[in-house]
């Protein structure tokens, strides 16, 4: 009803809305169910009521039974009273008969009762009256009006004879006895029905026996007096009665003695009877009567004389008999009292039993209720706790763990809820760990059970791994941004940053730090000889060795290529820094194995120091260290150079030179000198080499060694080279009219730095082509060492020049360790053997090898530095195609290149003169 209307009323809305509707309807179901449901304690009460009702009805039945016993006992008590009354009534009826008979008999024989009273001391009328009163009062007590009528009838018959009186009263007595017997039987029956009624039955039996004894005594009394008138021979009715009643009496008394309990009233009364003198006297009288066989004279039925003769004895016996009757009546009463006591005891016991049963029922009911309430509480409380926990979970509030209580099922449910909550909490902790990026948190490894747990775990793992991949990627990017990919050392940028931090620290702490610029010597050879992969291996090995060589905390980075940077701090001073640098150089210098080969690389180390007084930036310090490296390289490599004040002074002067040289270019302070190159055979002028000079104001003529290396530190050299080429072309053009010089080629020196630049080909080709000068008259000299940096590129560029007609000369050949094999790939027209070989007489065979190889490659050989005719002859003999040197002419200004001067030189010192 709730869900259906909500959902169907908005069938077109989105899933989310439906879902929300459903979820709210779920809440409705939940709460309405909670309102309608019956609390556990009522369930329990209901359950408890069923057995409780059974117990109560069972107990009630028991109480009913007890109450019945009680009622019966009460009935017995009442009936016993009646029975005692009836017994007494019967005795009194017989008394009344006796007195009636006595009065009637005395009257019949004409005696005045007063005489009788005077003679025997008995007032018979009074006795009769008393007997009648007694009977009347008993009749009232037993409420028996019909018997009263009978008695009234017997009394009314004045004329009745003795036999009639006897008959009438015997009938009444029989009627009473009959009723007593019925009452006794009824009582015995009732008593038998009473549970635990055996005592009562016994008491009734005693009562019955007592009544029998009492009746026997009465009957004996009657028979005794009858015998006084009729005599007692062997066959009289009186004898028979006496004999019979005597036996009856004995049995009844024996019954009383046997059945009655020791503490009963009946036993006490019996003891009193046995001890009574009257009872004993009456018995004795009866015994002597039976023994005497009394004979009386038959005078109209009465033996008056006999009676008179025994009058004293009869009167005494009469007294004793009466007393005996009373004694036995007491016995009957006592037995009745015992019955009453017994039945009352039964009644009390029954009442107590009822009370006990009711008490037990009450206790049972109360205990049941308490137990049920306790049980309901014991179940209800944990159930409520459970419900509250589940509600907390539903509402998303954190659930504190439930303390398991109550029945096993509830405990189980609580355990399950606790676990569910723990799993939710686990999911939350995992989400939190993911959110704050704790990807190595052990919580991510934990797993909730079941399909949901597995899917959660998978999701967490996926998230974690994608997060860690991102993290890894980010770390790698950061690493790559600051690290060199080959050696994994800090890169140039990171190294500079480290240097700047070190400087800042030095400012704060006053410590000194050392900056070491480490540059591999001739690393290019390794690349060329073993390949780039081997070069990489060497670089990595060097990086590792640097790291092991420095101290803990010192920084090692790669600036690029074969350059490394070390920032060591703190450093005591220059000496320690140099020692450290030398140790590093020594470590790196050990052999490095590349596959099966083993190479050695040396390093040049440039050192710069900084302390709190240093005002230089990191960049400037790095430049200082770089300059020190440069210096080390200049001084022959594999050494440590400190950037000290001398070097700085040198740098200052270099800077000044550079500055001045720029101005010199503009101010046209530069000039070209030309040196002749001649044919060894005839000293004929073959070509000229243009050599630069700086006519520096106030200084004079400056040699190129003083400023060309400075110019080569920057692109200034390119400007210089271009100026030289332009000047040379101008010269060639100028000499176009000169007969002697118009065909001479001029060699220009071009720096390696210029060759490396992209402008090289255009810078050289364009001016030549534009000038219209024959490119064949231009020789480009490149030093051997400049070619080695990038052989392929150099070869391509030089080939471009060469294809235009220009010629290529390799300058200072032999100093750059160029393997001769390299020459094959280079477009070479001329090899210029360095002047150190010319001067060294021991190098002849090497020079010969160079010359022969050069010739094989189709190159001409020029020997430089020829100063003596001997040198000229040796080099000529070794196969040099051209010679250059002071022997043939100093470099001179173009104006000095007069044909006569040249020829003079040639004539004077040419080798031809030796011929
Ligand atoms: P280089 O190219 O090897 O030039 C030859 C040098 O040897 C010249 O010195 C020359 O004066 C000197 N020389 C020639 N014959 C003899 C000799 O018999 N004995 C001795 N001891 N020396 C001799 P210079 O002119 O001082 O030039 C020195 C270096 O400067 C040159 O060596 C060259 O590398 C460079 N250079 C000179 N001019 C230029 C130029 O215009 N451009 C460039 N880039 N470099 C130049
Ligand atoms: Ca040269
Ligand atoms: Ca040279």
């Amino acid at each position: 009803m709730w869900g259906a209307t909500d959902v169907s009323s908005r069938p077109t809305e989105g899933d989310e809305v439906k879902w929300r509707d459903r979820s709210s309807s779920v809440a409705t179901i939940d709460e309405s169910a909670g309102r309608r449901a019956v609390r556990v304690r009522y369930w329990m009460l209901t359950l408890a009521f069923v057995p409780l009702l059974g117990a109560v009805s069972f107990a009630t039945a028991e109480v009913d039974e007890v109450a019945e016993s009680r009622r019966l006992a009460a009935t017995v008590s009442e009936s016993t009273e009646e029975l005692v009354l009836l017994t007494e009534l019967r005795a009194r009826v017989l008394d009344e008969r006796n007195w009636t008979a006595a009065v009637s008999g005395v009257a019949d024989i004409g005696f005045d009762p007063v005489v009788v009273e005077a003679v025997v001391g008995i007032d018979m009328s009074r006795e009769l009256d008393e007997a009648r009163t007694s009977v009347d009062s008993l009749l009232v007590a037993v409420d028996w009006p019909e018997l009263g009528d009978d008695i009234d009838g017997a009394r009314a018959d004045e004329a009745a004879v003795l036999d009639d009186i006897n008959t009438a009263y015997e009938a009444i007595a029989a009627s009473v006895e009959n009723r007593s017997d019925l009452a006794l039987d009824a009582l015995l029956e009732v008593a038998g029905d009473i549970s635990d009624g055996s005592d009562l039955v016994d008491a009734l039996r005693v009562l019955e026996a007592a009544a029998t004894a009492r009746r026997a005594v009465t009957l004996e009394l009657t028979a005794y007096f009858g015998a006084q008138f009729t005599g007692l021979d062997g066959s009289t009715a009186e004898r028979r009665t006496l004999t019979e009643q005597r036996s009856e009496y004995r049995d009844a008394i024996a019954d009383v003695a046997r059945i009655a309990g020791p503490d009963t009233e009946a036993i006490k009364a019996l003891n009193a009877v046995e001890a009574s003198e009257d009872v004993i006297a009456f018995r004795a009288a009866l015994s002597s009567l039976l023994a005497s066989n009394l004979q009386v004279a038959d005078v109209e039925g009465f033996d008056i004389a006999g009676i008179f003769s025994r009058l004293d004895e009869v009167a005494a016996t009469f007294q004793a008999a009466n007393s005996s009757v009373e004694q036995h009546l007491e016995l009957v009463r006592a037995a009745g009292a015992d019955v009453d006591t017994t039945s009352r005891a039964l009644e009390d016991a029954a009442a107590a039993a009822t009370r006990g049963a009711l008490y037990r029922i009450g206790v049972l009911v109360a205990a049941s209720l308490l137990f049920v309430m306790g049980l309901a509480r014991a179940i209800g409380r944990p159930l409520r706790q459970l419900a509250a926990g589940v509600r907390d979970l539903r509402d998303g509030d954190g659930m504190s763990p439930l303390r398991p209580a109550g029945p096993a099922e509830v405990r189980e449910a609580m355990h399950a809820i606790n676990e569910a909550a723990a799993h939710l909490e686990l999911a939350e902790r995992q989400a939190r760990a993911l959110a704050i990026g704790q990807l190595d948190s052990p919580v991510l490894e934990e797993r909730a059970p079941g399909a949901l747990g597995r899917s959660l775990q998978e999701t967490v793992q996926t998230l974690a791994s994608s997060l860690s991949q991102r993290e890894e990627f980010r770390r790698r990017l950061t690493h790559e941004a600051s690290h060199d990919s080959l050696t994994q050392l800090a890169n140039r940028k990171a190294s500079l940053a480290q240097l700047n931090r070190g400087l800042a620290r030095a400012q704060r702490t006053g410590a000194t730090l050392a900056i070491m610029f480490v540059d591999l010597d001739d690393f290019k050879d390794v690349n060329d000889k073993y390949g780039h992969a081997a070069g990489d291996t060497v670089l990595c090995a060097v990086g590792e060795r640097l790291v092991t060589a420095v101290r803990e905390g010192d920084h090692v980075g790669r600036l690029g290529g074969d350059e490394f940077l070390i920032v060591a701090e703190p450093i005591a001073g220059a000496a320690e820094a140099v020692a450290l640098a030398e140790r590093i150089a020594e470590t790196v210098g050990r052999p490095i194995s590349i596959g099966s080969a083993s190479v050695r690389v040396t390093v040049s180390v440039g050192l710069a120091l900084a302390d709190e007084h240093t005002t230089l930036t990191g960049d400037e310090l790095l430049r200082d260290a770089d300059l020190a490296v440069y210096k080390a390289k200049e001084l022959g490599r594999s050494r440590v150079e400190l950037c000290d004040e001398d070097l700085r002074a040198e740098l200052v002067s270099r800077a000044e030179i550079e500055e001045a040289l720029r101005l010199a270019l503009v101010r046209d302070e530069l000039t070209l000198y030309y040196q002749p190159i001649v044919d060894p055979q005839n000293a004929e002028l073959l070509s000229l080499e243009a050599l630069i000079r700086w006519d520096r104001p106030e200084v004079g003529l400056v040699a190129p060694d003083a400023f060309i290396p400075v110019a080569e530190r920057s692109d200034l050299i390119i400007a210089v080279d271009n100026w030289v080429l332009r000047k040379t072309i101008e010269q060639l053009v100028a000499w176009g009219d000169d007969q002697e010089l118009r065909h001479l080629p001029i060699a220009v020196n071009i720096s390696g730095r210029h060759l490396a630049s992209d402008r090289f080909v255009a810078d050289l080709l364009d001016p030549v082509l534009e000038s219209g000068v024959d490119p064949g008259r231009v020789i480009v000299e490149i030093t051997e060492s400049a070619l080695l940096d990038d052989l392929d590129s150099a070869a391509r560029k030089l080939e471009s020049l060469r294809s235009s007609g220009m010629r290529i000369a390799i300058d200072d050949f032999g100093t750059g360790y160029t393997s001769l094999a390299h020459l094959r790939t280079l477009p070479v027209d001329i090899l210029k053997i360095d002047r150190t070989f010319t001067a060294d007489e021991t190098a002849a065979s090497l020079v010969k090898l160079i010359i022969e190889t050069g010739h094989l490659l189709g190159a001409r050989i020029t020997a430089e530095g020829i100063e003596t005719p001997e040198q000229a002859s040796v080099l000529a003999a070794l196969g040099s195609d051209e010679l250059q040197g002071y022997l043939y002419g100093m470099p001179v200004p173009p104006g000095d290149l007069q044909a006569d001067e040249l020829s003079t030189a040639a004539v004077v010192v040419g080798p031809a003169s030796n011929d």
Side-chain angles (χ1 to χ4, degrees), residues 452-471:
L452 190 61
R454 197 164 50 244
S455 121
L456 248 174
Q457 169 82 355
E458 278 165 10
T459 309
V460 163
Q461 293 295 341
T462 310
L463 265 174
S465 78
S466 95
L467 280 176
S468 64
Q469 274 168 12
R470 266 169 58 180
E471 181 62 19

Side-chain angles (χ1 to χ4, degrees), residues 202-203 205-207 209 253-268 270 331 335 338:
D202 286 351
R205 289 251 153 77
V206 170
L207 178 60
I253 289 300
D255 279 351
V256 171
R258 182 172 50 82
I259 299 171
D263 293 330
T264 53
E265 294 296 316
I267 282 293
K268 283 182 210 159
L270 180 63
L331 177 61
D338 282 342

Side-chain angles (χ1 to χ4, degrees), residues 688-709:
L688 296 167
E689 180 177 359
L691 294 163
I692 196 165
R693 300 288 180 270
W694 181 7
D695 191 6
R696 202 172 171 187
E698 288 156 36
V699 175
L701 209 59
V702 180
D705 287 341
F707 64 92
I708 287 296

Side-chain angles (χ1 to χ4, degrees), residues 675 689 691-693 704-705 708 721 724 749 811-812 835 864-867 885-886 891:
Q675 188 179 28
E689 180 177 359
L691 294 163
I692 196 165
R693 300 288 180 270
D705 287 341
I708 287 296
D721 281 355
V724 170
N749 292 283
D811 205 354
D812 301 344
R835 67 169 175 271
E864 289 185 309
I866 305 294
E867 294 182 356
Y886 293 163

Side-chain angles (χ1 to χ4, degrees), residues 11 13 16 57 195 270 319 336 387 414 434 458 547 567 761 822 832 861 875 877:
E13 289 190 22
E16 202 193 333
S57 76
S195 55
L270 180 63
Q319 291 287 354
M414 283 174 149
L434 287 178
E458 278 165 10
V547 170
V567 181
V761 175
H822 282 156
K832 297 185 76 171
I861 309 296
L875 268 303

Side-chain angles (χ1 to χ4, degrees), residues 479-536:
H479 184 85
E480 276 169 12
S482 60
H483 286 76
D484 167 53
S485 60
L486 178 63
T487 60
Q488 300 307 321
L489 294 171
N491 63 12
R492 182 184 193 94
K493 196 174 152 212
S495 294
L496 260 174
Q498 180 68 23
L499 174 54
N500 281 320
R501 278 194 295 275
L503 280 175
R505 249 193 317 274
Q507 294 287 341
R508 275 201 313 278
T509 63
T512 301
L513 67 115
I515 298 107
M516 299 181 198
F517 198 118
V518 180
D519 194 309
L520 302 196
D521 297 328
D522 307 315
F523 175 63
K524 189 141 182 59
D525 286 352
V526 177
N527 267 340
D528 291 346
K529 203 164 163 190
Y530 302 102
H532 284 278
D536 286 351

